[in-house]
Amino acid sequence: MKHAIYILLFTSWINTGLIQAQWVQTGGPAGGYIRAVATSSNMVGGTNIYAGSTSQGGIFLSTDNGQSWIRRSTGMISDDIYSLAVRGTSLFAGTLGEVYRSTDNGSTWANASTGLSGTVVYSLLVSGTNLFAGTDNGAFRSSNDGMTWTQINNGLTNMTVRVLAVFDMYLFAGTAGGLFRSLDNGSSWSSEITGLQNKQIRAFSFSGANLFVGTTDGDVFLSTDNGLSWTPASTGLTGLTINALACYGSNVFAGSRYGGVFFSTNSGTTWTAVNNGLTNLGINALAIYSNGPSDTILFSGTEGSGAFVSTDNGISWTQSRLSNTWTNSFAISDTNLFATSYGGGVFLSSNSGSSWIQVSTGLPDYWVTALATSGMNLFAATHYVFRSTNNGTSWIAASSGLPNRYIWALGVSGITLFAGTEAGVFLTTDNGTEWSAANTGLTNQNIRAFAFSSNHVFAGTLGGVFRSSNQGSSWTAVNTGLTNTLVYALAVAGENVIAGTLGGAFLSTDDGTTWTPVSGLPSHRQVRSLTSSYGGLFAGTNAGGFFVSTNNGVSWTSVNTGLPNSTVHSLAVSNTQIFAGTYRDGVWKRPVSEILTSVKMLSNDYPSHLRLEQNYPNPFNPSTTIEFALPKAGIVSLKVFDIVGREVAILVNESMQPGYYRTQFNASALSSGVYFYHIQAGDFSQTKKFVLLR
């Protein structure tokens, strides 16, 4: 009986005081394509802010006015979010052809799309017991929270419904061909509206008896007769499409594409731009939450830079720490770390990622594909190359001689800067003042990666690896044994060269002359990034996470504890930290020493059975070594518990290949006593006791 009670305690305690070697998220860079913003009160009297992102971004929730965000997309098959709506404790999200409903603040989602047709749900509206959806196949209505839908297109002559709104007893549908009005919850629609004929409607809001719509022409129109007639109200508006409108009291806000946010206090008679601090002027969404005149918060969702927050009616803006970014490249200069937020420009951190600032002034294109440093020069690649000599504070073009094609890779060897484009390799020796093509021998000119050894330059292309022994003057294909020639990453480690491809990684020990598949990296996963430092070689994969090799790429081990995103597009080592740029979750970091010493593969021989060895030394103070053997690949968990069954440390929680392993446990934060370490791998589990003696 005592034994049974002990086991129950051992498995049921809540985790407290946990020691966990794992990845942690940095403070950014902020960014993401925010298409919808919604707010509601939470149970403790605060505000829930929901942000919906496209580019498979999903839903984010903030309970602290945008200071921090957590992803909330569990259960969504499609997480390109175009619309949001809130009714009480129910949250609705419109995606690519589907509606989802959550009753737990977005923690879990259920499909609510029966009867709904269309490829995009552009808008959602809650009105009483009805839920309305605007799609590219017209309007739909549900009276049971999305369980079933009925199409309501009678009288709609344009089926692209971009916005829905309710005012007084009227339901409005803004379409790509004008505004429509209904008095019977959408059962029939009237187009007898003057002033908006053939206008493409993108936004709707109202203040008192004043109704406002925004159009793709960059105009706002005003109605004072329940939407029957409309007059222009656009003086001072300079942006393109008006994507969003929001009203609070007599204040009206308009969010435009490329013009930022505009503010009117006279019903749209005149508008003033309010963009101080708003580093991205592509506004997709606006929302207001107010607990009174002195506590009003305005939120804006942008095209690539995430969300911004204003507490002074838009006079000043602060970028929210919503990090839904595709971080696809890094660069390091002294203590500065630079990262690109794909679609959001360049960001700088001078405190190991704790905070980031956008440094993109002068960049005409925020779709930055690659970064590199050379001396005091920082280079950023888009369709062209731009140079900064002041850590990104300002940028100038450095592209003379480059074709107008995307540049996917930058590399530096001595005084030579290499640019890998869709039209081959280009070189400059004067910091980008003049570029020249260097394509002799390149039979595939779609360049994706560079690597440099003491004697050679390697170029990874979508047709294999090419090698140059004369700084790019001529190239030779070196693909023997390379069974996948779509090469996205290259690295040199010791005397070895590693190529990351669409189908795993390959290793060469003879300067690329021959290649063999590596052990431990999944062969069905794309290897997107490679870097080496401190004697370790690191790999980021597509949907496979992060891997480390301590023998120059011969064998690999996954190290993903704490890393929620399994797609790692970029890697960099700065000082003692390694940084991983993910798809949709920003930048994560971890001490290099922790990765290199956490779990070490002793041998990749196949053990006959799974075995957990007794630690040594035992007793120990404060560190000890634990070894174990895995006969087959799988998820392995190795945890430490105290005498009453509380989990106090996670040593391993990874997908691992067969072999013999060793890991270190440092208990410097624990008090003396008896502890247990427990391994779980598939159906096998085993527990051993050890003693910490101070």
Side-chain angles (χ1 to χ4, degrees), residues 563-603:
L563 194 65
N565 195 312
S566 59
T567 295
V568 178
H569 279 279
S570 53
L571 293 167
V573 175
S574 178
N575 295 322
T576 60
Q577 302 278 336
I578 185 165
F579 295 85
T582 68
Y583 176 59
R584 302 190 307 179
D585 281 315
V587 176
W588 294 69
K589 68 179 181 179
R590 191 167 176 176
V592 175
S593 59
E594 183 181 282
I595 290 175
L596 295 180
T597 60
S598 60
V599 180
K600 182 177 182 180
M601 178 181 279
L602 304 177
S603 168

Side-chain angles (χ1 to χ4, degrees), residues 653-664:
N653 187 23
E654 317 285 355
S655 173
M656 306 183 74
Q657 298 297 309
Y660 295 86
Y661 292 88
R662 175 187 297 157
T663 186
Q664 299 291 126

Side-chain angles (χ1 to χ4, degrees), residues 3-126:
H3 178 70
I5 293 173
Y6 172 77
I7 295 297
L8 178 62
L9 287 170
F10 188 78
T11 58
S12 62
W13 272 85
I14 298 174
N15 297 348
T16 58
L18 185 65
I19 301 173
Q20 186 168 357
Q22 65 176 24
W23 293 88
V24 295
Q25 191 171 27
T26 71
Y33 281 76
I34 309 303
R35 299 294 184 192
V37 180
T39 64
S40 69
S41 299
N42 60 37
M43 296 181 64
V44 295
T47 310
N48 286 339
I49 310 166
Y50 303 96
S53 175
T54 53
S55 299
Q56 297 181 337
I59 304 283
F60 292 83
L61 166 66
S62 176
T63 58
D64 54 9
N65 293 333
Q67 292 301 305
S68 61
W69 299 79
I70 55 176
R71 188 184 299 279
R72 289 292 182 91
S73 301
T74 301
M76 286 186 168
I77 297 175
S78 172
D79 51 6
D80 280 298
I81 311 300
Y82 287 84
S83 52
L84 293 168
V86 179
R87 178 201 285 129
T89 59
S90 293
L91 174 64
F92 301 92
T95 72
L96 291 176
E98 295 177 311
V99 171
Y100 290 86
R101 176 177 177 244
S102 174
T103 57
D104 53 12
N105 291 324
S107 294
T108 58
W109 295 85
N111 194 296
S113 304
T114 301
L116 196 69
S117 63
T119 57
V120 182
V121 180
Y122 290 116
S123 56
L124 288 171
L125 171 69
V126 169

